[in-house]
């Protein structure tokens, strides 16, 4: 008998191993939380579902990754295909689905093309809100809690000091999770919570490589520290960057908010950080689930997919809907896949989707050529050349013989000939490889300085980097001028003048070319992005475990502050503004706060002209949404377009039909209101045939007695009418509905391109407030 069992164990062992390897992460959605269950009862019920398909109690426990308690009623677990299909047959189970691996990542600019460091000289970095009125009215956000889903935090940064901060708000229920190099003493009255999530990551990719990241909330990447300090870093005076190159003030948008860190993004095994990172759906939903339970007021999520993702497969959207139900404002980055159209991610209408634009600040490092020509390059490189001319070469002319044609001029690793480069300034072009990597190649080949020329696609948009040698970045046109000079000169020479911060540059803002664009391919009836905010060359705190260039093998510099670009950087600006509004208007819904931010956004730059793309062409709402963030105006919007949780569920009924993954208990009516009638502060009408009438409702949040009248700038080829076109209010909180009728002007048809959207806006104004909504319309014929 004994012998028999031993054999059977030996036989079973390989079987168990095989079936373990077969198991994959599934998300199981049960239904809506009934509301009265204690948390442990929810977990027990999830466990009992697992027990019904697993052999033992232990196996069931071990297979459960997350039990979701505050968002969906469901769980993530390791299941075999057989177990998954068994579960899906149970009556109460709404859905059982495999997550989409590695779809999500942090929204810095293209990982092949970013980087930077430095500190500006004596200037406050937040140009979005001038003056302290809004900040003091919002008491700097001191009772508001902002959750940040990202790569963790570097808690020692002065930006996270709790100096002068009062007791932690009583509403806070979160924790400070300990782990590698992180314990409870790393949290304080600023950094009130920290957690990390990697169960799905590890189930999918194997154990975390602990030389690549910390198994704790500590940030080894820099990105999470940057975004968290942008939302809510304290004012830090006399911040110094590498080499004492410059100093000034660093501050978050809402400097007294409390921060709760949810680390969900991790390195990709076998790839360097420059190549990217990954954030798993189950891990992110667990973080959002906890954030809801912990009591955050605003969630900042600079994460998304490269391709737009359907609502039912988008766990940021699913989590965010449950957060919005609790009046948590969720701001997400639009993505960095621009400037091509239809590239936008995070398009759900209960999310604030944020594009990226420039600020009126540049780091000018002029390149002076031997013929006296002065070119306005930019950089945040600390090292300096002597004040004299150096020999200048174009990288394509000084390569090793083995370099392929398409890599000529790119300064890829090992491509430059030391004999031809030593002691010279080298012009390298963008296109392949990383920007900072090109500088490293020039330095390794013995070059003294480096000019980084934009490719044609980069145009005039300059990304500032902390290169490892004296450097300056120039526009495409300027790069061509430099090549021309090199070609036409017997003895080309140049020098690079050390960088200086220049404030008040014009035009500003302009749209960053990387910022993802509409139209919204998931639902063309919702205009996205919603808004744009500073995202180009943004200064904020950094992890001391990652060099400013992220090239950890070639760059061993440590910096406390760094310059970075992406919609990842613009999103926390909007989160900060939302936190300040939340402090001023604690009872407003997340839809009301979004509406206030959107309807007060600006459409002009600091030259009084319409916002442009980086090329100088007029930009459209598919780049900037309602316009550029103006938080001070948003504090007093006059009217808001509100929307309830039920409105969103009805919207989902008409858009995707089966809404079980969002709320299985909600009964969709036979005729749900059309998506276009969701009470949104903007309007998108794809393929209009003749006429459409749209409904909207505004809530008065301004003066009790007020009269608003309607004005519109219709898109070319269309007419717009509102009915009524005057709205009178007698009270705060009063709601008024109106319709907007859009009509194709047949006589204009020859002037309208059938495949193109046309843009305009309408607004309600009472002499004190202007409540503006952008619109985008295309023709059906
Ligand atoms: C936390 O870690 C620090 C070192 O980083 C140590 O000095 C401190 O004693 C630890 N605190 C606790 C409560 O363990
Ligand atoms: C972990 O990362 C280090 C450094 O990047 C690398 O050398 C090592 O091979 C990795 N270990 C594993 C198990 O992949
Ligand atoms: C600013 O920082 C520098 C170097 O970190 C230091 O030498 C200087 O005294 C500081 N200045 C002030 C006003 O604190
Ligand atoms: C090209 O040759 C150089 C030395 O001549 C070498 O360092 C480099 O690795 C080579 N590159 C490739 C891609 O073979
Ligand atoms: C510069 O001269 C090289 C030959 O030395 C030629 O191939 C290239 O097209 C010239 N470039 C410009 C911009 O004139
Ligand atoms: C537009 O409407 C007209 C009349 O209402 C109809 O004949 C035509 O087929 C419609 N066109 C499209 C593209 O739907």
């Amino acid at each position: 008998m004994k012998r028999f069992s031993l054999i059977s164990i030996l036989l079973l062992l390989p079987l168990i191993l095989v079936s373990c390897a077969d198991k994959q992460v599934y998300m199981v959605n049960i239904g809506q939380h009934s509301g009265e269950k204690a948390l442990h009862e929810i977990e027990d019920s999830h466990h009992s579902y697992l027990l019904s398909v697993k052999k033992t109690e232990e196996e069931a426990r071990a297979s459960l990754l997350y039990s979701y308690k505050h968002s969906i009623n469901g769980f993530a677990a390791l299941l075999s295909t057989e177990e998954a299909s068994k579960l899906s047959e149970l009556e109460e189970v709404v859905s059982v689905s495999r997550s989409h691996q590695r779809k999500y990542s942090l929204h810095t600019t293209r990982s092949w093309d970013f980087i930077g460091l430095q500190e500006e000289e004596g200037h406050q970095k937040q140009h979005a809100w001038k003056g302290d009125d809004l900040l003091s009215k919002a008491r700097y956000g001191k009772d508001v809690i902002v959750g940040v889903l990202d790569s963790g935090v570097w808690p020692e940064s002065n930006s996270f000091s709790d100096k002068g901060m009062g007791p932690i708000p009583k509403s806070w229920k979160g924790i400070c999770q300990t782990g590698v190099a992180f314990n409870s003493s790393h949290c304080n009255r600023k950094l009130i919570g920290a957690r990390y999530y990697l169960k799905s990551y590890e189930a999918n990719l194997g154990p975390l490589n602990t030389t690549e990241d910390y198994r704790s909330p500590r940030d080894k990447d820099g990105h999470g520290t940057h975004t968290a300090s942008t939302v809510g870093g304290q004012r830090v005076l006399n911040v110094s960057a590498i080499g004492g190159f410059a100093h000034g003030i660093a501050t978050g948008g809402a400097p007294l908010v409390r921060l709760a860190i949810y680390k969900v993004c991790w390195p990709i095994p076998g790839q360097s950080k420059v190549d990217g990172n990954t954030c798993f759906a189950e891990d992110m939903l667990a973080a959002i689930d906890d954030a809801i339970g912990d009591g955050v007021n605003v969630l900042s999520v600079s994460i998304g997919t490269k391709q737009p993702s359907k609502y039912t497969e988008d766990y940021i959207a699913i989590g965010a809907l449950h957060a919005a139900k609790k009046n948590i404002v969720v701001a997400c980055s639009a993505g960095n896949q621009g400037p091509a159209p239809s590239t936008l991610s995070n398009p759900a209408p209960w999310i604030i989707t944020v594009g990226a634009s420039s600020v009126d600040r540049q780091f000018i490092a002029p390149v002076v050529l031997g013929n006296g020509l002065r070119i306005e390059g930019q950089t945040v490189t600390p090292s300096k050349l002597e004040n004299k001319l150096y020999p200048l070469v174009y990288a394509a002319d000084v390569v090793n013989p083995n370099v392929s044609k398409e890599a000529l001029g790119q300064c890829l690793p090992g491509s430059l000939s030391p004999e031809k480069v030593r002691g010279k300034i080298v012009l390298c072009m963008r296109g392949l490889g990383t920007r900072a990597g090109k500088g490293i190649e020039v330095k390794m080949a013995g070059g003294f300085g480096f000019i980084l020329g934009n490719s044609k696609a980069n145009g005039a948009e300059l990304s500032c980097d902390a290169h490892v040698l004296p450097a300056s970045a120039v526009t495409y046109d300027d790069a061509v001028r430099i090549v021309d000079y090199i070609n036409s000169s017997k003895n080309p020479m140049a020098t690079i003048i050390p960088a200086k911060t220049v404030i008040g540059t014009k035009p500003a803002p302009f749209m960053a070319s990387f910022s993802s664009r509409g139209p919204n391919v998931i639902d063309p009836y919702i205009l996205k992005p919603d808004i744009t905010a500073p995202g180009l060359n943004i200064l904020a705190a950094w992890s001391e475990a990652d060099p400013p260039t992220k090239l950890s093998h070639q760059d061993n510099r440590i910096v406390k502050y760094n310059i970075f670009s992406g919609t990842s950087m613009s999103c926390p600006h909007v989160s900060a503004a939302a936190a300040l509004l939340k402090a001023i208007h604690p009872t407003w819904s997340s839809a009301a706060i979004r509406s206030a931010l959107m309807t007060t956004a600006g459409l002009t730059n600091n030259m009084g002209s319409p916002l442009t793309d980086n090329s100088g062409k007029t930009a459209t709402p598919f780049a900037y949404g309602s316009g550029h963030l103006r938080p001070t105006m948003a504090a007093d919007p006059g009217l808001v377009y509100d929307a309830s949780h039920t409105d969103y569920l009805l919207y989902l009924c008409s858009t995707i039909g089966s809404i079980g993954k969002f709320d299985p208990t909600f009964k969709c009516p036979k005729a749900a209101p059309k998506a276009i009638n969701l009470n949104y502060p903007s309007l998108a009408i794809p393929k209009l045939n003749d006429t459409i009438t749209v409904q909207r409702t505004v809530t008065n949040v301004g003066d009790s007695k007020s009269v608003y009248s309607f004005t519109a700038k219709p898109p070319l080829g269309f007419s717009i009418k509102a009915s009524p076109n005057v709205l009178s209010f007698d009270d705060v909180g009063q709601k008024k509905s109106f319709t907007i009728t859009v009509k194709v002007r047949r006589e204009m048809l020859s002037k309208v391109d059938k495949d193109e959207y046309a843009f305009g806006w309408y607004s309600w104004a009472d002499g004190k407030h202007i409540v503006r909504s952008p619109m985008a319309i295309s023709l059906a014929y």
Side-chain angles (χ1 to χ4, degrees):
M1 197 59 188
K2 250 187 181 156
R3 216 168 129 201
F4 175 77
S5 59
L6 185 62
I7 288 169
S8 67
I9 287 168
L10 288 176
L11 279 174
L12 268 173
L13 203 55
L15 273 179
I16 290 169
L17 288 178
V18 166
S19 66
C20 263
D22 267 359
K23 290 191 171 43
Q24 296 184 312
V25 179
Y26 285 83
M27 193 88 88
V28 181
N29 205 319
I30 313 282
Q32 190 70 339
H33 289 295
S34 57
E36 65 256 19
K37 272 202 181 118
L39 296 184
H40 71 268
E41 286 177 313
I42 298 174
E43 186 153 349
D44 285 350
S45 93
H46 294 160
H47 183 251
S48 68
Y49 283 104
L50 277 173
L51 203 50
S52 73
V53 297
K54 298 281 185 186
K55 288 179 199 71
T56 66
E57 179 88 27
E58 291 71 48
E59 214 191 311
R61 287 235 176 266
S63 66
L64 180 65
L65 302 183
Y66 297 111
S67 171
Y68 301 112
K69 305 184 179 76
H70 306 283
S71 53
I72 65 166
N73 180 7
F75 56 91
L78 278 169
L79 302 170
S80 66
T81 10
E82 204 177 39
E83 292 162 350
S85 77
K86 253 196 212 160
L87 270 176
S88 67
E89 280 157 19
L90 296 177
E91 207 184 323
E92 320 84 86
V93 170
V94 176
S95 63
V96 178
S97 43
R98 278 282 287 132
S99 73
H100 298 259
Q101 283 195 39
R102 294 208 205 173
K103 236 171 53 168
Y104 293 91
S105 58
L106 294 166
H107 270 160
T108 42
T109 45
R110 290 180 190 86
S111 41
W112 277 105
D113 212 14
F114 61 98
I115 305 121
L117 122 132
Q118 222 256 309
E119 172 55 7
E120 66 192 79
E121 287 163 317
H123 279 278
Q124 193 182 321
K125 84 184 183 71
Q126 299 296 344
H127 300 285
W129 29 114
K130 297 212 159 79
D132 271 359
D133 270 15
L134 171 70
L135 283 169
S136 58
K137 222 197 268 174
R139 283 164 301 138
Y140 299 84
K142 82 180 177 70
D143 295 324
V144 180
I145 303 166
V146 181
V148 182
L149 260 66
D150 212 293
S151 67
V153 70
W154 191 261
E156 288 83 5
S157 170
N158 286 337
S159 290
F160 306 122
S161 144
D162 65 357
K163 215 168 113 190
M165 297 195 69
I168 291 169
K170 290 216 169 56
S171 58
W172 176 243
K173 296 193 277 293
I175 62 165
C176 189
Q177 190 178 4
T178 59
V180 174
F182 204 96
N183 63 33
S184 58
S185 65
H186 290 110
C187 289
N188 59 22
R189 279 166 291 147
K190 158 62 72 184
L191 218 54
I192 62 173
R195 299 180 186 253
Y196 67 99
Y197 303 84
L198 84 171
K199 287 183 184 165
S200 181
Y201 172 94
E202 291 196 318
N204 279 292
L205 300 179
L208 176 72
N209 183 340
T210 50
T211 53
E212 292 288 332
D213 206 342
Y214 302 100
R215 179 184 284 281
S216 79
R218 184 174 288 275
D219 178 19
K220 194 156 186 166
D221 183 282
H223 189 279
T225 302
H226 202 279
T227 54
S229 67
T230 300
V231 183
Q234 285 251 31
R235 270 174 205 245
V236 183
L237 305 177
N238 196 24
V239 172
S240 255
I242 182 168
F245 175 60
H247 66 274
I249 303 166
T251 175
L256 292 186
V257 290
R258 318 299 174 132
L259 293 168
I261 304 300
Y262 299 87
K263 178 173 174 181
V264 294
C265 298
W266 304 88
I268 300 170
Q271 283 190 23
S272 85
K273 286 201 190 70
V274 180
D275 299 328
N277 49 72
T278 184
C279 334
F280 280 85
E282 297 79 10
D283 293 335
M284 291 191 298
L285 186 60
I288 297 175
D289 195 73
D290 280 341
I292 296 170
D294 289 349
V296 309
N297 305 114
V298 175
L299 260 181
S300 194
V301 185
S302 292
I303 300 170
T305 48
K306 285 222 165 71
Q307 302 300 318
S309 190
K310 283 198 269 183
Y311 294 149
T312 49
E313 292 169 8
D314 183 347
Y315 283 88
I316 293 180
I318 292 172
L321 182 75
H322 288 93
K325 187 182 179 185
K326 300 269 161 68
N327 271 349
I328 298 168
V329 184
V330 184
C332 294
S333 43
N336 306 315
Q337 303 301 120
S342 309
T343 46
L344 181 129
S345 77
N346 294 320
W350 47 88
I351 285 171
I352 311 182
T353 313
V354 187
S357 36
S358 71
V359 293
D360 63 345
R361 176 199 59 200
Q362 293 178 355
F363 302 93
I364 305 284
V367 174
V368 180
L369 303 180
N371 62 3
L373 192 64
R374 188 184 162 103
I375 287 166
E376 297 254 296
Q378 287 194 54
T379 196
V380 288
T381 302
S383 39
K384 296 164 190 169
L385 284 174
E386 283 174 48
N387 185 14
K388 64 169 196 186
L389 291 170
Y390 294 79
L392 170 68
V393 290
Y394 178 39
D397 301 331
V398 291
V399 285
N400 287 322
N402 59 359
V403 171
S404 67
K405 226 176 169 167
E406 64 277 9
L408 277 179
Q410 292 287 322
C411 299
L412 298 183
S415 68
L416 295 179
S417 157
E419 293 93 75
K420 298 179 185 162
V421 163
R422 195 162 295 128
K424 297 180 182 160
I425 294 177
V426 182
L427 169 67
C428 305
M429 296 300 289
R430 284 173 70 180
L432 303 170
T434 64
R435 299 197 303 268
K438 294 169 197 281
I440 285 168
E441 172 62 11
V442 172
K443 188 173 187 186
M444 302 250 284
F448 280 3
F450 150 62
I451 300 169
L452 179 65
N454 270 358
S455 66
K456 200 163 190 173
N458 304 129
E461 180 174 298
L462 298 177
S463 295
C464 292
D465 304 299
H467 293 292
V468 294
L469 78 171
S472 191
V474 301
T475 66
Y476 174 70
D477 289 346
D478 284 337
V480 170
R481 285 156 78 194
I482 297 173
V483 173
D484 282 349
Y485 164 70
I486 294 172
N487 271 13
S488 64
S489 169
K490 259 215 184 93
N491 196 11
M493 303 288 280
T495 193
I496 301 166
I497 296 173
K500 251 211 184 116
T501 305
V502 178
I503 304 282
T505 57
K506 291 178 178 173
F510 59 81
M511 289 308 302
S513 63
F514 58 73
S515 187
S516 288
R517 305 308 207 256
N520 176 347
V521 296
I522 300 302
D523 182 358
Y525 289 97
I526 301 293
L527 177 53
K528 289 277 179 174
D530 293 311
I531 198 161
T532 184
L536 184 65
N537 298 328
I538 300 301
L539 172 85
W542 198 246
S543 164
E544 291 180 41
D546 199 22
T549 56
K550 282 183 153 272
L551 296 165
S552 41
H553 299 296
Q554 293 106 333
D555 184 359
N556 53 18
R557 294 174 299 176
I558 288 172
V559 297
K560 293 185 191 315
Y561 288 84
N562 198 6
I563 282 182
F564 229 60
S565 295
T567 50
S568 274
M569 282 67 238
S570 59
C571 169
H573 283 81
V574 170
S575 309
L580 296 176
L581 293 195
K582 193 91 196 169
I584 298 171
H585 306 290
T587 60
W588 283 12
S589 69
S590 80
I593 288 179
R594 180 189 46 217
S595 175
L597 292 167
M598 287 173 67
T599 61
T600 56
L603 292 181
T604 52
N605 60 29
N606 58 3
M607 297 165 78
S609 315
L611 290 178
T612 57
D613 281 334
N614 77 332
S615 61
K617 259 180 68 183
T618 302
T620 75
F622 284 156
Y624 57 68
S626 303
H628 201 259
L629 175 68
R630 290 196 294 187
T632 307
M633 316 259 315
D636 180 21
L639 305 174
V640 292
Y641 293 82
D642 207 351
S644 67
H645 184 64
T646 305
D647 291 336
Y648 291 136
L649 294 177
L650 289 169
Y651 162 81
L652 281 168
C653 289
S654 74
T655 319
I656 60 171
S658 163
I659 68 160
K661 273 195 169 174
F662 290 87
D663 184 346
T665 60
F666 188 76
K667 290 264 176 303
C668 283
K670 278 231 169 61
K674 286 189 193 133
I676 199 166
N677 287 327
L678 178 67
N679 199 33
Y680 214 69
S682 59
L683 182 58
I685 307 172
K687 297 195 191 324
L688 178 61
N689 183 7
D690 201 41
T691 302
I692 191 168
T693 296
V694 181
Q695 283 152 23
R696 290 287 187 269
T697 299
V698 283
T699 308
N700 180 24
V701 295
D703 306 325
S704 56
K705 293 221 187 311
S706 50
V707 179
Y708 283 84
S709 50
F710 184 83
T711 314
K713 180 174 177 294
L716 184 69
F718 302 88
S719 68
I720 304 174
K721 248 178 43 200
S723 174
N725 61 10
V726 171
L727 301 174
S728 304
F729 295 90
D730 312 311
D731 229 329
V732 175
Q734 195 177 11
K735 289 178 189 291
K736 289 271 158 127
S737 294
F738 61 92
T739 61
I740 291 203
T741 301
V742 180
K743 214 169 153 49
V744 176
R745 294 173 64 187
R746 299 201 165 264
E747 73 278 12
M748 299 282 287
L749 278 185
S750 61
K751 299 209 170 95
V752 180
D753 191 335
K754 148 177 175 326
D755 296 322
E756 297 272 336
Y757 272 86
F759 304 95
W761 49 260
Y762 58 86
S763 66
W764 294 98
D766 68 345
K768 190 170 161 197
H769 307 94
I770 297 172
V771 187
R772 187 176 46 218
S773 297
M775 53 199 303
I777 310 179
S778 74
L779 278 177
Y781 43 84

